[in-house]
Amino acid sequence: MVELRASTPGIMHQSFAGDVYNSAVYLKRCFNAIDTSMVTAVGKDTLSSAMVAQFEDEGLNTDLVFVHPTKSPGMYLIETDDEGERSFTYWRSDAAARKVVDFLSDEVLAALGKGDMFFVSGISLAVIEPESRDVFWARLETLKAKGVVVVFDPNYRPRLWKDESEAKETFEKAFHYCDLAMPGVEDLEVLYGVSDAQGVIEFCNRFSINEVVVKNGPASVITSLNSSVESHTITPVKNVVDTTSAGDAFNGAYLGSRLSGMSIDETVRLAAHAAGTVIQHPGAIAPKVAFSEAMADIAG
Ligand code: AMP
């Protein structure tokens, strides 16, 4: 999406962000050798071109970024009040990305089927048109049949859904299809009354998911791989500036690390370090150099 941030009154700083994009950026920054593609739809306008240029600047593959003939990207404004409390206003009801399922042709599916993983966010599921969800599930089944690992992060945002039952029905379908789930405790708290990470693991057990990673802020990360459950300690960051995209950075680094064959322990350590770095910078995307220097610390 196009992100606007009010700086001085009447002047906006404009950038690009969104949960899937943020995750893709951090995956690519941590694992440059992994071909990481964005699958979305933009418009023919200049902001769309700038957005695609930004994807490319981050090294992302844009072959599957489709151009809708009449729509434009969604946009949101971040405002910060005198107490530092942030609020968001969205213009996304007519966004090109809502139409992305229309572009998932057999040819596109064949290309996606060559990949190792396909990442689905609950935000994307909320944003695509409800009448195209059934087509989307069918496409997901095709990818699974081709051996692609389906990853799901519910990223629950109440205001994107008509009501709780629509969100629950859609999430349960996604949990059913996924091979790797990455929920946060907060995602399931309101919808299912789950109050801790262990409860999230138990909830996921209903769906026989091979790998589950439960994020719970600075408290802990709990993983379950082939039903073997492990708790991982997180070192809280002292200097938290902005927690936007902590979960996205965690996801990106985690998936890149697992694709590279690293163990769950090593992977959580790396992913938590990436997330802990990002929250020490304002906004969703930390400066490239500062991020890579911080990641070099853990490597060394
Ligand atoms: P969350 O989406 O809040 O669960 O955060 C995602 C990930 O970011 C967590 O799993 C942690 O690895 C990391 N994280 C979030 N908040 C903090 C914090 N205050 N200190 C250190 N790491 C954090």
Side-chain angles (χ1 to χ4, degrees), residues 48-265:
S48 291
S49 308
M51 187 187 280
V52 176
Q54 177 74 51
F55 294 169
E56 283 166 357
D57 192 53
E58 287 287 351
L60 303 177
N61 185 324
T62 56
D63 291 351
L64 300 177
V65 176
F66 309 105
V67 178
H68 193 281
T70 55
K71 308 272 180 195
S72 336
M75 185 181 287
Y76 67 101
L77 167 67
I78 308 176
E79 289 169 292
T80 312
D81 69 14
D82 295 343
E83 269 81 53
E85 199 59 44
R86 293 178 320 144
S87 63
F88 298 83
T89 311
Y90 291 91
W91 295 266
R92 67 172 4 157
S93 55
D94 197 31
R98 299 199 67 201
K99 296 278 183 191
V100 68
V101 178
D102 296 354
F103 292 94
L104 301 181
S105 62
D106 290 347
E107 197 189 343
V108 169
L109 264 271
L112 286 171
K114 294 193 184 122
D116 298 300
M117 270 181 182
F118 184 73
F119 177 84
V120 181
S121 155
I123 294 180
S124 305
L125 290 176
V127 164
I128 57 173
E129 290 170 320
E131 51 278 18
S132 61
R133 280 189 202 129
D134 282 345
V135 176
F136 181 72
W137 302 129
R139 300 287 185 264
L140 216 47
E141 270 182 21
T142 307
L143 290 185
K144 274 179 80 83
K146 289 176 192 283
V148 177
V149 170
V150 172
V151 182
F152 175 55
D153 180 344
N155 253 326
Y156 180 49
R157 300 288 184 275
R159 70 162 121 170
L160 291 179
W161 297 93
K162 189 174 69 179
D163 53 33
E164 288 187 1
S165 66
E166 186 196 32
K168 282 166 86 164
E169 189 190 322
T170 312
F171 282 1
E172 285 162 32
K173 274 238 164 79
F175 278 119
H176 162 77
Y177 283 115
C178 77
D179 306 288
L180 199 174
M182 312 190 82
V185 173
E186 279 178 4
D187 291 325
L188 302 189
E189 217 159 23
V190 178
L191 292 178
Y192 296 98
V194 171
S195 56
D196 57 18
Q198 187 55 41
V200 177
I201 295 279
E202 281 159 25
F203 171 87
C204 289
N205 282 344
R206 285 195 222 166
F207 302 92
S208 313
I209 304 165
N210 181 48
E211 185 166 339
V212 180
V213 191
V214 184
K215 293 162 283 178
N216 194 14
S220 67
V221 166
I222 294 195
T223 53
S224 168
L225 178 65
N226 300 319
S227 305
S228 158
V229 178
E230 263 186 89
S231 182
H232 310 259
T233 310
I234 301 296
T235 310
V237 163
K238 290 193 192 84
N239 172 36
V240 177
V241 173
D242 179 353
T243 57
T244 305
S245 93
D248 303 334
F250 186 97
N251 289 351
Y254 187 97
L255 296 175
S257 177
R258 293 293 285 148
L259 280 167
S260 307
M262 288 163 76
S263 71
I264 295 270
D265 267 357

